Amino acid sequence: MERHRQGPRRQEEDGSDDGREDDGVLSAFVCPITMQVMRDPVVIETGHAYERDAIARWFDECRELGRGPCCPITMQEVRRADLRPVLALRAAIEEWADRRQGDELRRACQWLAKDATEKEAVRAIGCAARGWSGGRAGRCVVRGEGMMQMVGGMLRSGSAVVRLRALEAIQEFAKETDQDREAVSQGDTIRTIVKFIDCEDCQERELAVSVLCDLSKSEVVCGKISELNGAVLILSKVAGSKANNPTIAEKAEKTLQNLDKCEKNAVQMAENGRLEPLLNLLIEGSPEKQLLIASSLEKIVLSNDLKILVAQRVGSLFAGVVEKGNLEAKEVAFKVLEHISTNAESAKVLIEEHVILPLFRVLSINRANLLPPRLQEAAAAVLANLVASGVDFGTVPLDGDRTLVSEDIVHSLLHLISNTSPPIQCKLLEFFDTLSSSTGTVVSIVSAIKSSGAITNLVQFVESDHQESRLASLKLLYKISFHMDHEIAQVFRASPTLLGCLVEVTFLNDGNTDEQHAALQILANLPKRDKHLTRELMEQGAFKIVARKVLSICRREAGSDIYDNAVLEGLVKVLARITYVLRDEPRCISLAREYNLAALFTSLLRFNSLEEVQLVSAKALMNLSLESKYLTTTPKFDEPEHKSKLALFGRKPSSFQFCPVHSGVCSIRGSFCILDGKAVERLVHCLNHGNKKVSEAALAALCTLLEDEVEILEGVLVLHRANGIAPIFDILKENPTGSLQHRVTWAVERILRAEEIAKAASTDGSLGSALVHAFQHGDSRTRRIAEAALKHVEKIPIFSQIIDKCPSMRGSSMGSMERFYKFDR
């Protein structure tokens, strides 16, 4: 009886009670024990009918109480406990139940079809669920009346209770056949369920994942899920959240696995980041299917992680297709390889999968006629991408003992550059440009270029109409110009037209800035002392353009822009060329005066952040200052008597800028005298530079004030006034080696010719120690000069007059430093 009382209460809670008394139930249909409509009626000896399970339990209870079975109604003991089915009653009950259930389902359809209240919707969904679980007849009604689709529509209800009941009902529907799963997934059902999954705080989220997992057992539903934009990504996110909710994550992963099984979904899955199914089909498929799948893969935009996955799974497969596949398969393979090789890490995987050798074989000149140009270009593009991965190709074996930078391999590819179309040339030039960027392989590339004589062909690209090839060649020439400057210069000397093209690309074209920068650096790296090239650049008007550009950048204050700084370095190197041929080329002297280059290089010394600019500027000032003694003019006086009187009192006419060092009329513009302007002060400042090359170049420029044929004591006085003596001594005290040791020892010896300075320096123990070190460890020239300097400070006795105690103030037996000024390349 308790069960009888609970039944209606549960129905009311489920919303299934329609508010009316169930007067339609015949008493013969109700079990006297359970007070519920019987499903399996049986009759006992007394002729009364009961539910089979209920009367069986009654008989068991009787036996437990120690008495024989009896009838629950009459309490009459029965001799036999046989339970005979009442088939007619059972059929009548089933007919009545089907009719009653049909009526309920039709009422539920009316509720679902209209804008029902929450209570009506819950009742209707519950009725549909009971009808579905009640038997075949109920399922037929649910299917026939379209109730599954109606319940699916309830997912868009504003009531959370209705949505939850709808999801529960859909889950029941999805447990049967694929046909039922497809029926319930019509309309926006799948989209709505996925929306619930994507909502972090949604109550329906866990149930929605479970429902979608059941629905995904159908291949048709899998297609709908895959086609829904973002569904795979959402499921992947949920599947990856095992730490937060393992149950939901497991269901989401199971759903994805169901989607994986559907072959036609493989492409959609791959486009949404789940690539494994497509790769599995690619590996296991026939050649025809592989071609079809690879064509699809080629169109998919892959992240870097997926590129690595593709390289790992099918890199070797595509390597085989490149070498042995038909033309159509090769074309697809090249496209896929080009796509995945753009990432450095995936390119490294391809290298490990031995993709390079097949690429080289299809590109080799002996077999070039077997591939159409478009495939050669694709192969060259893949090769260029692979070398850009940063791998040391000097250690990566190609076949046997050969590597990609072996001489015969490089020769073959260089030969191909000269015998193919511009697009392929461009890719191969990029290939060599990348290899030349590595210190580990550039030497091998340079050696192969020299031995093959290919430098002429590479320089020819400077005048190419194919801009990409021209840019790639310029970048390559710039890289190798540090090792092949004389070879490149020889090509330009033989063809002024090529040099003119280089100048045009550098200064006259408003084109690619990378192209202009590479061309400028090539010009900057050409041998500075090559008079022929300097004259040709003068003819081309390059130096005037460069001078104007340097002035323009200086006015904008270099150092504010990285690109401007790199350009300034190149321009200054080009402009400094003219200072190396001043004595042989009067036009260079005229141009230096026109643009006041001595003042300009002096100004460039102030850019402390640009060490290369300071270095080149100091060397240029040295070259200019060396010419001052030849360009200084001696003043002419109308009256000899007046001249002698002026000389007697040490006075010079006010209309002249008389130089005490050069004993004539000097100026920084006219004779490049560094006493005019702030050149000496800025050079002295550079003596303390952290870069020893800069300090050595500044010292070399200052040493021109102590040269033969100038007034050495006046030069020493100039250095003293500029506080330059102590920094020079400090350089020597650091015990330098090589050319810097020789130069600073020479400068110190000349400075110590001034008696007052020598007297003061004789008490400086560290200076004496430095001179002793130079005397003991320097080369033969340095030792002789150090010996003379030690005699100035009386550290070595003077035994003869071979070296005067007071040598000439305009030169000495120690000789000029001018012939040692060519310390740079």
Side-chain angles (χ1 to χ4, degrees), residues 494-511:
S495 177
T497 304
L498 280 176
L499 186 62
C501 289
L502 186 65
V503 171
E504 183 178 353
V505 170
T506 309
F507 303 119
L508 304 180
N509 281 353
D510 295 329

Side-chain angles (χ1 to χ4, degrees), residues 461-766:
F461 282 100
V462 171
E463 56 182 358
S464 173
D465 293 330
H466 191 261
Q467 185 176 6
E468 289 78 10
S469 298
R470 185 172 66 243
L471 173 60
S473 69
L474 287 171
K475 288 183 175 180
L476 172 59
L477 290 173
Y478 165 50
K479 303 284 177 57
I480 64 176
S481 64
F482 294 96
H483 310 272
M484 299 183 65
D485 54 340
H486 290 285
E487 290 81 358
I488 295 173
Q490 185 176 358
V491 178
F492 282 124
R493 279 197 301 269
S495 177
T497 304
L498 280 176
L499 186 62
C501 289
L502 186 65
V503 171
E504 183 178 353
V505 170
T506 309
F507 303 119
L508 304 180
N509 281 353
D510 295 329
N512 189 303
T513 54
D514 291 336
E515 187 177 79
Q516 292 174 333
H517 180 261
L520 174 61
Q521 298 306 325
I522 293 170
L523 282 175
N525 286 348
L526 292 175
K528 310 186 261 302
R529 300 183 185 278
D530 192 316
K531 300 175 184 177
H532 181 89
L533 285 179
T534 302
R535 291 191 184 102
E536 190 59 41
L537 289 172
M538 182 72 72
E539 293 289 343
Q540 306 266 359
F543 292 120
K544 292 187 176 182
I545 298 173
V546 172
R548 288 194 291 267
K549 286 183 175 292
V550 173
L551 285 169
S552 176
I553 293 176
C554 287
R555 291 191 188 103
R556 296 202 308 268
E557 284 295 323
S560 59
D561 184 270
I562 295 176
Y563 184 77
D564 267 357
N565 293 346
V567 170
L568 180 59
E569 287 181 7
L571 292 172
V572 171
K573 287 181 180 179
V574 175
L575 189 59
R577 289 184 63 91
I578 65 175
T579 67
Y580 289 86
V581 295
L582 292 171
R583 205 167 301 173
D584 303 308
E585 185 55 58
R587 289 182 299 175
C588 290
I589 294 179
S590 299
L591 188 142
R593 287 171 171 169
E594 179 181 357
Y595 289 94
N596 198 4
L597 292 190
L600 179 57
F601 286 120
T602 299
S603 177
L604 291 170
L605 289 175
R606 74 182 189 275
F607 297 126
N608 294 324
S609 60
L610 303 179
E611 295 180 1
E612 193 66 22
V613 171
Q614 289 180 303
L615 175 63
V616 175
S617 299
K619 291 179 180 181
L621 284 173
M622 176 194 71
N623 294 334
L624 290 166
S625 182
L626 284 173
E627 299 304 310
S628 295
K629 57 191 176 185
Y630 304 112
L631 300 175
T632 298
T633 58
T634 303
K636 295 181 180 180
F637 302 98
D638 295 334
E639 299 178 8
E641 183 181 353
H642 181 63
K643 175 182 176 181
S644 61
K645 290 181 180 179
L646 286 173
L648 180 63
F649 292 98
R651 295 174 57 194
K652 287 83 181 176
S654 58
S655 59
F656 295 100
Q657 183 67 37
F658 192 84
C659 177
V661 175
H662 300 115
S663 301
V665 178
C666 283
S667 69
I668 195 166
R669 178 187 288 271
S671 62
F672 318 133
C673 180
I674 60 176
L675 270 67
D676 190 12
K678 299 181 179 180
V680 173
E681 290 80 357
R682 287 179 177 167
L683 287 169
V684 168
H685 180 74
C686 289
L687 290 175
N688 297 317
H689 203 285
N691 187 332
K692 293 302 179 182
K693 291 183 178 180
V694 175
S695 59
E696 181 177 0
L699 176 62
L702 291 172
C703 282
T704 60
L705 301 178
L706 307 175
E707 264 291 310
D708 290 343
E709 302 179 9
V710 302
E711 296 293 340
I712 296 177
L713 288 183
E714 291 291 346
V716 172
L717 184 58
V718 169
L719 291 176
H720 174 71
R721 290 170 179 168
N723 299 315
I725 303 295
I728 294 175
F729 285 176
D730 290 339
I731 294 175
L732 181 65
K733 292 175 184 179
E734 293 175 1
N735 296 327
T737 58
S739 62
L740 180 57
Q741 181 190 47
H742 175 75
R743 191 180 304 280
V744 71
T745 305
W746 183 92
V748 169
E749 190 275 331
R750 296 260 166 154
I751 292 170
L752 293 178
R753 294 181 185 184
E755 292 185 4
E756 293 296 326
I757 296 177
K759 183 177 180 181
S762 63
T763 61
D764 188 345
S766 56

Side-chain angles (χ1 to χ4, degrees), residues 758-787:
K759 183 177 180 181
S762 63
T763 61
D764 188 345
S766 56
L767 178 63
S769 176
L771 286 170
V772 170
H773 181 273
F775 177 68
Q776 293 175 339
H777 299 94
D779 57 23
S780 58
R781 296 174 302 150
T782 305
R783 287 199 299 270
R784 289 197 303 271
I785 297 172
E787 180 184 2

